[in-house]
């Protein structure tokens, strides 16, 4: 089966090529370009599957083009699938599969890295020392020990983050519709209680209609003053304009973001001055207590290896007509 991989970077190619020989039935074509209505129609006539990432447009229009080109399978090489029109895919008979839990610790460790980074002002300290400035002025942080961590969503990644916070000696509270039985040290509370009590809030729920702009002016106002907010889940969970208003009002000690609302493709790699001038991400970057990374939560050797293996296993399961348990429709 021929699979066209969209938006492939060198690290993707390296990790897929490392295991490719284990899957002689699969032929991979790596494309640098992103999957979009413009690019979908260029796939080869004999291509039966496409592989896409979080930044792809897998909406109705793209699915219709893929369907017309004979594609039967969309392999998402990521956990999130808010960018896929699953209803349309089902209607067209296109199977969509994903990689549900490749390495929750990879994302959770980045969440804690961002929390610690903004807490101890690492981004400022690093630049200062490089410029031979050893001043400590403005670099005072706070102990996490004995503070309260609020985890929103205690699935795989949220649970890993809860364990890390527990290891730091924090009191860990959480909000989720379902309690994770493995987290006996976590106290489940209402969302409002979590907002009111947490010194660190880390978002780990998926982006859905019900979680879109979960963090907005109203919920920000319910947070403790001096809270640290971290989002490694999806940009749409936070209403960026309201976040900026909250930062201006000095609500936050620090904000760490691996994801942001404008994330279609990679805003940093494809930056154009004009876009950057007007983007809310650029406005966020102008605040000294905000640290932004470029959606790199998944980017560890272990996670990349697991993503490659599961993605190709998914393709093989589809080919053999087996159920992999990673199907979305
Ligand atoms: P998961 O499906 O294991 O857990 C999600 C949890 O959120 C579930 O327990 C669910 O009940 C809960 N939830 C749903 N709606 C909620 C709400 N309104 N409030 C509170 N909790 C709610 O998902 P997993 O693997 O932990 O991933 C979480 C998210 O992390 C993904 O949806 C994805 O968007 C993001 N992610 C980010 C990556 C990165 O590189 N930054 C990489 C992988 C995933």
């Amino acid at each position: 089966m021929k699979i066209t991989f969209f938006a492939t970077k060198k690290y993707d190619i390296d990790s897929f090529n490392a295991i490719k020989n284990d899957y002689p039935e699969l032929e991979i074509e790596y494309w640098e370009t992103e999957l979009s209505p413009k690019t979908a129609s260029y796939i080869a006539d004999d291509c039966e599957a496409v592989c896409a990432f979080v930044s792809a447009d897998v909406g109705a229009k793209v699915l219709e083009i893929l369907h017309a080109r004979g594609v039967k399978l969309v392999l998402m090489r990521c956990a999130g699938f808010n960018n896929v029109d699953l209803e349309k895919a089902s209607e067209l008979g296109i199977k969509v599969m994903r990689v549900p839990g490749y390495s929750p610790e990879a994302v959770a460790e980045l969440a804690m890295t961002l929390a610690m980074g903004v807490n101890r002002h690492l981004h400022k300290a690093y630049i200062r020392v490089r410029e031979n400035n050893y001043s400590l002025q403005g670099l005072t942080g706070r102990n996490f020990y004995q503070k309260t961590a609020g985890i929103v969503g205690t699935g795989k990644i949220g649970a890993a983050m809860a364990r890390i916070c527990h290891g730091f000696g924090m009191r860990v509270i959480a909000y989720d519709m379902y309690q994770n039985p493995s987290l006996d040290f976590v106290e489940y509370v209402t969302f409002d209680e979590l907002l009111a009590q947490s010194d660190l809030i880390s978002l780990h729920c998926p982006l859905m209609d019900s979680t879109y702009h979960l963090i907005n002016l109203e919920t920000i106002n319910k947070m403790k003053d001096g809270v640290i907010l971290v989002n490694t889940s999806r940009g749409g969970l936070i209403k960026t304009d309201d976040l900026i208003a909250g930062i201006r009002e000095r609500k936050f000690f620090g904000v760490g973001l691996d994801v942001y609302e404008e994330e279609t493709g990679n805003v940093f790699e494809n930056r154009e001055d004009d876009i950057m001038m007007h983007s809310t991400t650029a406005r966020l970057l102008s605040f000294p207590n905000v640290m932004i990374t470029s959606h790199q939560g998944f980017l560890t050797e272990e996670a990349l290896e697991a993503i490659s293996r599961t993605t190709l296993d998914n393709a093989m399961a589809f080919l053999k007509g087996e159920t992999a348990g990673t199907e979305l429709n």
Side-chain angles (χ1 to χ4, degrees):
M1 180 168 69
K2 184 181 255 184
I3 312 169
T4 303
F5 274 54
F6 284 89
T8 43
K9 307 275 188 271
K10 186 177 180 307
Y11 53 76
D12 293 309
I13 296 174
D14 288 347
S15 67
F16 276 94
N17 279 352
I19 59 164
K20 170 74 192 61
N21 287 345
D22 299 342
Y23 303 84
E25 300 88 345
L26 304 177
E27 185 191 337
I28 297 179
E29 206 171 276
Y30 297 111
W31 287 17
E32 254 182 64
T33 186
E34 184 54 278
L35 178 59
S36 72
K38 274 189 191 157
T39 58
S41 55
Y42 289 109
I43 58 168
D45 288 340
D46 57 346
C47 175
E48 286 177 79
V50 298
C51 180
F53 192 54
V54 278
S55 45
D57 171 353
V58 201
K61 194 165 177 200
V62 164
L63 288 165
E64 270 164 12
I65 297 168
L66 294 176
H67 175 65
R69 303 287 299 151
V71 166
K72 299 179 184 68
L73 173 66
V74 172
L75 295 161
M76 299 302 296
R77 54 177 191 278
C78 52
F81 51 89
N82 50 286
N83 52 337
V84 187
D85 188 334
L86 286 178
E87 215 171 292
K88 189 73 190 175
S90 301
E91 187 188 309
L92 297 169
I94 297 178
K95 178 66 69 193
V96 184
M97 299 170 89
R98 66 168 177 148
V99 184
Y102 40 90
S103 177
E105 287 74 20
V107 186
E109 286 174 18
L110 184 80
M112 188 45 117
T113 303
L114 286 169
M116 291 174 72
V118 292
N119 180 35
R120 303 303 291 266
H121 312 281
L122 286 188
H123 50 314
K124 286 187 246 174
Y126 173 76
I127 298 289
R128 274 190 203 178
V129 172
R130 274 181 74 101
E131 293 179 351
N132 212 22
N133 173 358
Y134 290 83
S135 159
L136 298 178
Q137 188 58 39
L139 299 186
T140 308
R142 296 165 174 176
N143 285 6
F144 278 170
Y145 179 63
Q146 290 190 336
K147 295 288 182 345
T148 299
I151 312 292
V152 182
T154 51
K156 289 175 285 299
I157 297 171
M161 181 62 172
R163 284 191 291 272
I164 292 171
C165 293
H166 185 57
F168 270 66
M170 301 182 85
R171 169 183 174 235
V172 186
I173 60 175
Y175 170 69
D176 197 316
M177 284 82 67
Y178 308 99
Q179 300 200 358
N180 186 327
S182 72
L183 301 175
D184 54 5
F185 55 88
V186 168
E187 186 190 330
Y188 280 89
V189 295
T190 64
F191 188 46
D192 278 0
E193 285 168 340
L194 182 143
L195 295 172
Q197 294 176 27
S198 301
D199 301 291
L200 161 64
I201 296 177
S202 196
L203 305 180
H204 299 288
C205 59
L207 177 61
M208 303 176 293
D209 288 346
S210 59
T211 57
Y212 179 67
H213 286 176
L214 188 69
I215 303 300
N216 54 50
L217 219 43
E218 197 189 329
T219 49
I220 288 171
N221 283 335
K222 290 178 181 171
M223 294 177 190
K224 261 185 170 180
D225 288 341
V227 63
I228 291 177
L229 175 68
V230 171
N231 187 11
T232 55
S233 193
R234 283 293 178 269
L237 295 179
I238 298 180
K239 189 171 180 192
T240 312
D241 285 335
D242 289 4
L243 177 65
I244 289 171
I247 296 168
R248 279 185 188 284
E249 283 164 26
R250 299 179 188 275
K251 186 75 184 175
F252 300 96
F253 190 85
V255 175
L257 305 173
D258 189 42
V259 290
Y260 15 84
E261 283 198 280
E262 292 167 310
E263 201 179 356
T264 48
N266 187 317
V267 289
F268 296 112
E269 281 178 24
N270 302 328
R271 67 195 282 172
E272 284 171 30
D273 288 346
D274 198 39
I275 294 174
M276 289 305 288
M277 286 287 286
H278 298 288
S279 83
T280 50
T281 312
R283 283 168 68 203
L284 280 171
L285 277 169
S286 70
F287 295 104
N289 59 341
V290 175
M291 195 184 264
I292 300 187
T293 48
S294 186
H295 203 142
Q296 66 178 68
F298 70 99
L299 200 62
T300 66
E301 289 174 7
E302 293 79 359
L304 286 174
E305 192 187 327
I307 288 171
S308 315
R309 183 65 68 188
T310 307
T311 302
L312 298 188
D313 283 347
N314 282 346
M316 286 310 296
F318 173 82
L319 207 56
K320 292 179 186 165
E322 293 169 356
T323 304
T326 55
E327 294 80 4
L328 289 168
N329 61 351

